[in-house]
């Protein structure tokens, strides 16, 4: 989609920063998950452990807060913030991300991150605005706020 404005959108893949951000975000979520298994896990029939009830539900709540909640409120997850990355609407990165956009982005994390993030890397490298599947569906872009060449550029 080309814009009919006096500016144009410019992004870069930022693969290294995006990888570090994902490791931070999902490392925090996985740490909480492991803590819940340690504290509340009960042996199951498959030889593993299950976490049920409120402790099990809290894992979903923590995922929701650390991904969708923070991103919708601040434009960045903790991992993205640490790397200087900001998620914004593709149509106008000056605007704030909506709840629906953040929800769509993160509902596809399981697909984007499988296997080992390969699908996300391929789509980031091969789309015009360096978007993964979640970004394509939500119509969002990831911009390195520390790079003056990214974001909206005035047309000459």
């Amino acid at each position: 989609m080309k814009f009919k404005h006096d500016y144009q959108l410019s992004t870069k893949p930022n693969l290294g920063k995006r990888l570090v951000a994902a490791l931070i975000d999902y490392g925090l979520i996985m740490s909480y998950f492991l803590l819940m298994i340690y504290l509340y896990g009960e042996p199951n029939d498959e030889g593993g452990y299950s976490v049920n009830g409120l402790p099990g539900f809290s894992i979903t709540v923590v995922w929701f807060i650390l991904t969708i909640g923070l991103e919708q409120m601040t434009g960045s997850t903790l991992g993205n913030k640490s790397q200087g990355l900001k998620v914004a609407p593709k149509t106008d990165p000056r605007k704030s991300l909506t709840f629906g956009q953040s929800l769509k982005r993160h509902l596809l994390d399981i697909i984007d991150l499988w296997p080992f993030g390969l699908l996300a890397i391929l789509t980031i490298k091969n789309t015009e605005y360096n978007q993964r599947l979640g970004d394509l569906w939500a119509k969002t872009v990831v911009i390195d706020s520390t790079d003056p060449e990214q974001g909206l550029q005035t047309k000459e």
Side-chain angles (χ1 to χ4, degrees):
M1 173 178 167
K2 299 293 180 193
F3 301 106
K4 297 177 181 130
H5 302 289
D6 59 347
Y7 56 83
Q8 66 185 24
L9 179 61
S10 176
T11 64
K12 294 180 183 175
N14 303 313
L15 284 175
K17 287 186 170 193
R18 289 174 82 164
L19 174 64
V20 170
L23 288 172
I24 290 169
D25 291 334
Y26 280 95
L28 288 170
I29 293 164
M30 184 58 70
S31 295
Y32 183 78
F33 174 74
L34 292 173
L35 178 65
M36 289 296 100
I37 288 175
Y38 177 76
L39 293 175
Y40 301 103
E42 298 173 0
N44 60 31
D45 294 338
E46 289 90 38
Y49 287 86
S50 297
V51 179
N52 300 305
L54 194 55
F57 181 68
S58 73
I59 296 167
T60 302
V61 171
V62 166
W63 169 83
F64 187 89
I65 291 169
L66 290 179
T67 57
I68 299 163
L70 284 175
E71 190 174 83
Q72 195 273 316
M73 290 188 300
T74 67
S76 298
T77 62
L78 294 174
N80 282 347
K81 177 83 66 195
S82 75
Q83 298 302 303
L85 301 175
K86 181 172 172 69
V87 183
K90 182 176 134 186
T91 54
D92 189 349
R94 297 172 295 190
K95 293 186 177 178
S96 296
L97 199 63
T98 67
F99 175 81
Q101 287 173 315
S102 186
L103 179 65
K104 284 180 177 179
R105 288 186 83 244
H106 291 290
L107 284 177
L108 291 186
D109 281 355
I110 192 75
I111 297 170
D112 275 326
L113 297 176
W114 181 90
F116 307 108
L118 183 61
L119 188 56
I121 292 167
L122 289 172
T123 55
I124 289 168
K125 295 287 279 177
N126 291 295
T127 55
E128 182 179 6
Y129 296 108
N130 309 107
Q131 297 163 288
R132 60 185 183 83
L133 289 178
D135 291 317
L136 291 168
W137 185 32
K139 296 178 176 65
T140 57
V141 291
V142 177
I143 297 169
D144 184 345
S145 58
T146 65
D147 183 348
E149 294 180 7
Q150 293 185 53
L152 295 178
Q153 306 296 319
T154 305
K155 289 184 181 177
E156 296 180 17

